[in-house]
């Protein structure tokens, strides 16, 4: 059995699992194109390292989702469009639209491409409806960094600040505080029970500590 290792290999396997009919060369081209997007210069946190980390969490907890390959594709697409100067949820909406179009060109069935786009859209607010384990896994994986140890969390927060270097400090503090507060207002940061049991308390502590620093 061949071990899937490289990111393009992982993309190809997920696309095949989701029903893609394009040939391997086209799937590899799509993966490499996506990686160029993830490597854009305005990204300091939302980069290839983040993509890899999200995919690792999805793989680790894949058994909790009925359609893990759809979740993997959504992970690839969820920050495919990333402009720190965009307003509101424009990045997520544009990423969802981009995902649906790209996957259809790769021969993924229309309904599956639409579902991947829906999953991407969830990352705007990380709020899921009941009985949506695919969405819950994607959102939990995207927020995994919040439960990091103190040093890694500090690096994450610093990278986010660099992405928003164009925002004056006072405005950034206010905006970042709103984001953290909204996350803390969720019923829980992590939705899937095995993930919540491992990470919730640490994430809550990290968010509250950052809020205190921003005040």
């Amino acid at each position: 059995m061949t071990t899937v290792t490289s990111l393009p290999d992982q993309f190809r396997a997920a696309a095949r699992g989701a029903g893609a009919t394009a040939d391997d060369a086209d799937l590899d081209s799509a993966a490499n194109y996506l990686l160029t997007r993830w490597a854009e210069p305005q990204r300091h946190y939302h980069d290839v390292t983040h993509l890899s980390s999200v995919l690792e969490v999805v793989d680790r907890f894949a058994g909790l989702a009925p359609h893990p390959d759809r979740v993997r594709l959504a992970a690839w697409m969820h920050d495919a469009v990333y402009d720190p100067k965009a307003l509101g949820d424009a990045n997520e909406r544009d990423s969802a639209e981009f995902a649906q179009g790209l996957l259809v060109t790769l021969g993924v069935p229309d309904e599956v491409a639409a579902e991947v786009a829906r999953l991407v859209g969830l990352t705007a607010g990380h709020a899921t409806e009941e009985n949506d384990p695919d969405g819950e896994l994607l959102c939990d994986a995207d927020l995994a960094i919040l439960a990091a140890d103190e040093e890694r969390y500090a690096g994450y927060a610093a990278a986010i600040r660099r992405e928003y270097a164009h925002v004056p400090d006072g405005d950034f503090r206010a905006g970042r505080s709103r984001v953290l507060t909204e996350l803390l207002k969720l019923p829980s940061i992590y939705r899937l029970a095995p993930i919540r049991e491992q990470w919730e308390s640490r994430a809550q502590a990290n968010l509250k500590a950052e809020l205190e620093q921003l005040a």
Side-chain angles (χ1 to χ4, degrees):
M1 181 175 178
T2 302
T3 300
V4 176
T5 53
S6 76
L7 285 171
D9 283 347
Q10 292 179 47
F11 179 83
R12 190 187 327 119
R16 289 279 182 243
T21 58
D23 60 34
D24 285 351
D26 286 340
L27 294 177
D28 288 346
S29 292
N32 287 319
Y33 173 66
L34 283 165
L35 289 172
T36 66
R37 282 179 168 261
W38 283 93
E40 292 165 340
Q42 78 276 17
R43 300 169 183 261
H44 298 277
Y45 170 70
H46 294 88
D47 56 9
V48 175
T49 298
H50 172 59
L51 169 63
S52 297
S53 296
V54 173
L55 290 169
E56 287 172 6
V57 175
V58 173
D59 285 346
R60 179 178 170 187
F61 295 101
L64 302 177
H67 307 103
D69 283 323
R70 298 180 188 183
V71 182
R72 292 183 179 100
L73 290 178
W76 273 90
M77 306 290 181
H78 80 285
D79 286 320
V81 178
Y82 187 72
D83 178 3
K85 296 181 180 180
L87 299 177
D89 63 353
N91 285 327
E92 290 84 2
R93 287 188 284 106
D94 290 346
S95 293
E97 182 179 356
F98 170 80
Q100 187 164 0
L102 177 60
L103 293 175
V104 168
T105 67
L106 297 175
V108 173
D110 289 351
E111 65 275 15
V112 176
E115 172 61 8
V116 171
R118 183 192 72 82
L119 294 172
V120 170
L122 292 176
T123 62
H126 298 94
T128 57
E129 300 294 334
E130 291 185 11
N131 195 31
D132 185 10
D134 287 339
E136 290 172 337
L137 178 56
L138 177 65
C139 289
D140 286 359
D142 191 31
L143 296 178
I145 186 63
L146 301 183
D149 61 52
E150 185 175 343
E151 181 178 359
R152 188 163 171 245
Y153 187 90
Y156 149 72
I160 293 294
R161 184 65 184 104
R162 289 196 298 275
E163 289 186 344
Y164 287 88
H166 60 282
V167 179
D169 194 56
D171 292 341
F172 176 82
R173 286 173 175 269
R176 179 68 177 166
S177 294
R178 284 194 297 272
V179 170
L180 300 179
T181 299
E182 289 303 310
L183 285 169
L184 287 168
K185 285 181 180 178
L186 292 170
S188 61
I189 294 170
Y190 302 108
R191 267 51 58 90
L192 293 170
I195 295 177
R196 185 170 61 249
E197 291 165 4
Q198 292 183 43
W199 295 346
E200 185 72 21
S201 60
R202 181 65 195 171
Q204 294 265 351
N206 281 334
L207 295 188
K208 291 172 182 175
E210 187 182 356
L211 273 173
E212 289 181 4
Q213 293 171 359
L214 291 167

